Amino acid sequence: SIHICGNCSSIVCYCLCCHLPFFITSTVATMQQTVLRASSGAVNSRPIPAPVPSHCCKRARLAHFRPAGAAVLNRPDSEEGLTYKKAGVDIDAGDELVKRIQKMNPNIGGFGGMVPFGDSYLVAGTDGVGTKLKLAFDMNKHDTVGIDLVAMSVNDIITLGAKPLFFLDYYATGFLDVDTAEMVIKGIVEGCKQSDCILLGGETAEMPGFYQKGEYDLAGFAVGAVKKEKLIDGKNIKAGDVVLGLSSSGVHSNGFSLVRKVLEVSNTSLHDRTPWDPSKTFGDVLLAPTIIYVRKVLELHDKVGLKGVVHITGGGMPENIPRVIPDGLGVNIRDGSWPMPELFKWLQQVGKVPTADMRRTFNLGVGLVLVVDPANVAEVQKLAPEVFVLGEVVPGDGVAFV
């Protein structure tokens, strides 16, 4: 891949495998010699990145030197805006698969699966961390993705009012690096502590040739319980009920394929400082662990009573809120009624992501949604001052931003 600096006419060659600059020159003739050397085998197939020489304009950022392990990515091929689908994730295909599975097994579709158990329900959920792991690999930081793993499952089952009882994990890799695995498990243990549940067991699978060196995948499984009379099922939600929100810590664990694509087309490294907070890097902000809402939700449900709880994951508010709202009802969300982190504004601006795709891909700063009776709003805010009013339940269907 060849780029020409628009400010100083330097020519920069990028390796198409690792996206690192491996040859920089200031004349076309010299570059032609380089191409000839490459065709004769004189240039290594996996070249070593070179720093930018003083004559190349750093302002152009085409040949900005990155430290080892940084996400060095190419510029966009066009000025078209990015979407989750263009980044490789088709939400519609996922929805279609769920519909097909429901034909074979009508019991799925909620945030968790339920089984009657005496005077209670056992509630189970499973999830992973997705391509957020790619950022952990690039940053060589593995002590927080375990928290994400626990959060994604326990935040699902608490939408039904279930207290997490135990957690199981699955860790798969091509070559077992004990130190790395220990850091991951450390995060899982921390996530279980925050959820007041125990890590009951897990599986470590070493599968040579299945994963790239230094990479692994994670899956988690949470089981909880709720008394039948305390089940949060959304059936009592009615028009006029108030929709409240709890802030997220950032992207949480959904939408990272689009995040990575935005980093790619903007040539942004995980080691770059964020423009809104120079004390933090993009890696710091993006790897912030998912907030675990277990204690807060259980407290509010016990003292006030919650009609509905929504974990804002893949699909954002438009696709997740309707999962708990009865037929014939919709939700109006007051656009701008919550503090949106600067990260999401940056992602939309730099990636030219349409607003509809932002809403359908990211939590946009809202990690959990609560539906309560209007008479209980003041009490909820007293117990949890951090909650904010998002909107209300109205006759209709779906989610409208007003």
Side-chain angles (χ1 to χ4, degrees):
S1 177
I2 299 173
H3 299 278
I4 300 176
C5 176
N7 294 300
C8 67
S9 299
S10 291
I11 298 170
V12 184
C13 302
Y14 282 90
C15 173
L16 293 178
C17 297
C18 65
H19 306 296
L20 290 175
F22 66 91
F23 188 86
I24 302 170
T25 182
S26 58
T27 68
V28 174
T30 308
M31 190 201 75
Q32 290 173 335
Q33 294 176 8
T34 303
V35 173
L36 290 174
R37 289 175 60 231
S39 63
S40 64
V43 177
N44 293 334
S45 60
R46 193 76 171 185
I48 303 297
V52 180
S54 58
H55 65 266
C56 183
C57 174
K58 291 184 179 180
R59 186 156 48 97
R61 303 201 65 212
L62 288 175
H64 185 61
F65 179 66
R66 307 291 182 182
V72 182
L73 307 157
N74 288 332
R75 286 188 174 275
D77 294 327
S78 71
E79 293 300 314
E80 294 182 4
L82 294 173
T83 65
Y84 209 16
K85 190 170 185 177
K86 288 179 182 178
V89 178
D90 190 341
I91 295 177
D92 293 326
D95 292 341
E96 175 61 26
L97 177 59
V98 170
K99 291 178 182 178
R100 295 188 186 186
I101 296 174
Q102 284 176 328
K103 293 178 180 178
M104 298 181 280
N105 180 11
N107 297 320
I108 72 161
F111 285 100
M114 298 190 301
V115 177
F117 190 75
D119 64 349
S120 302
Y121 287 108
L122 291 180
V123 183
T126 181
D127 212 329
V129 182
T131 58
K132 187 173 188 176
L133 293 176
K134 285 283 191 180
L135 279 66
F137 304 154
D138 288 343
M139 293 290 290
N140 193 28
K141 180 175 173 56
H142 309 279
D143 59 340
T144 58
V145 290
I147 300 175
D148 290 303
L149 185 67
V150 176
M152 293 304 291
S153 288
V154 297
N155 285 345
D156 274 353
I157 68 173
I158 60 167
T159 64
L160 296 164
K163 180 188 183 303
L165 299 175
F166 60 85
F167 187 82
L168 300 167
D169 74 273
Y170 173 77
Y171 179 99
T173 185
F175 172 79
L176 183 59
D177 184 317
V178 176
D179 292 335
T180 297
E182 180 185 19
M183 294 303 292
V184 173
I185 303 301
K186 178 182 178 182
I188 295 174
V189 170
E190 174 59 28
C192 288
K193 288 180 180 178
Q194 293 182 24
S195 308
D196 296 319
C197 69
I198 62 171
L199 176 59
L200 195 61
E203 164 68 5
T204 302
E206 188 171 18
M207 300 183 287
F210 202 79
Y211 296 93
Q212 294 187 35
K213 184 178 180 181
E215 298 194 352
Y216 53 83
D217 198 10
L218 299 173
F221 316 87
V223 175
V226 57
K227 294 291 185 181
K228 289 181 178 179
E229 68 271 16
K230 297 291 287 185
L231 179 70
I232 304 174
D233 57 12
K235 291 181 179 179
N236 295 323
I237 293 175
K238 65 181 187 299
D241 284 340
V242 179
V243 179
L244 305 174
L246 284 167
S247 294
S248 68
S249 61
V251 182
H252 279 184
S253 299
N254 291 99
F256 274 92
S257 293
L258 181 52
V259 169
R260 291 167 54 235
K261 180 59 70 172
V262 173
L263 292 175
E264 176 182 332
V265 300
S266 64
N267 195 35
T268 300
S269 165
L270 294 175
H271 298 273
D272 283 348
R273 299 287 171 177
T274 64
W276 61 89
D277 185 355
S279 70
K280 296 180 180 179
T281 66
F282 278 94
D284 296 331
V285 173
L286 290 168
L287 282 177
T290 305
I291 293 175
I292 292 175
Y293 300 98
V294 170
R295 293 172 183 168
K296 184 58 65 178
V297 168
L298 294 180
E299 178 191 13
L300 291 175
H301 188 44
D302 181 58
K303 296 181 178 179
V304 180
L306 303 174
K307 288 188 170 185
V309 179
V310 185
H311 185 198
I312 306 301
T313 57
M317 284 186 273
E319 301 224 355
N320 284 289
I321 292 178
R323 296 169 72 179
V324 305
I325 304 297
D327 292 339
L329 295 175
V331 169
N332 282 348
I333 299 294
R334 299 170 196 162
D335 207 5
S337 60
W338 71 95
M340 185 183 298
E342 292 296 322
L343 170 63
F344 295 110
K345 299 175 185 177
W346 182 88
L347 288 169
Q348 181 171 24
Q349 179 183 8
V350 174
K352 299 182 176 64
V353 183
T355 297
D357 281 277
M358 290 293 296
R359 291 170 174 168
R360 199 179 179 211
T361 303
F362 301 113
N363 64 60
L364 298 181
V366 182
L368 205 76
V369 165
L370 311 173
V371 182
V372 301
D373 189 282
N376 293 333
V377 172
E379 184 64 19
V380 170
Q381 291 178 320
K382 180 179 178 181
L383 293 168
E386 68 272 24
V387 304
F388 40 85
V389 177
L390 280 171
E392 63 180 347
V393 179
V394 296
D397 61 77
V399 174
F401 290 83
V402 297

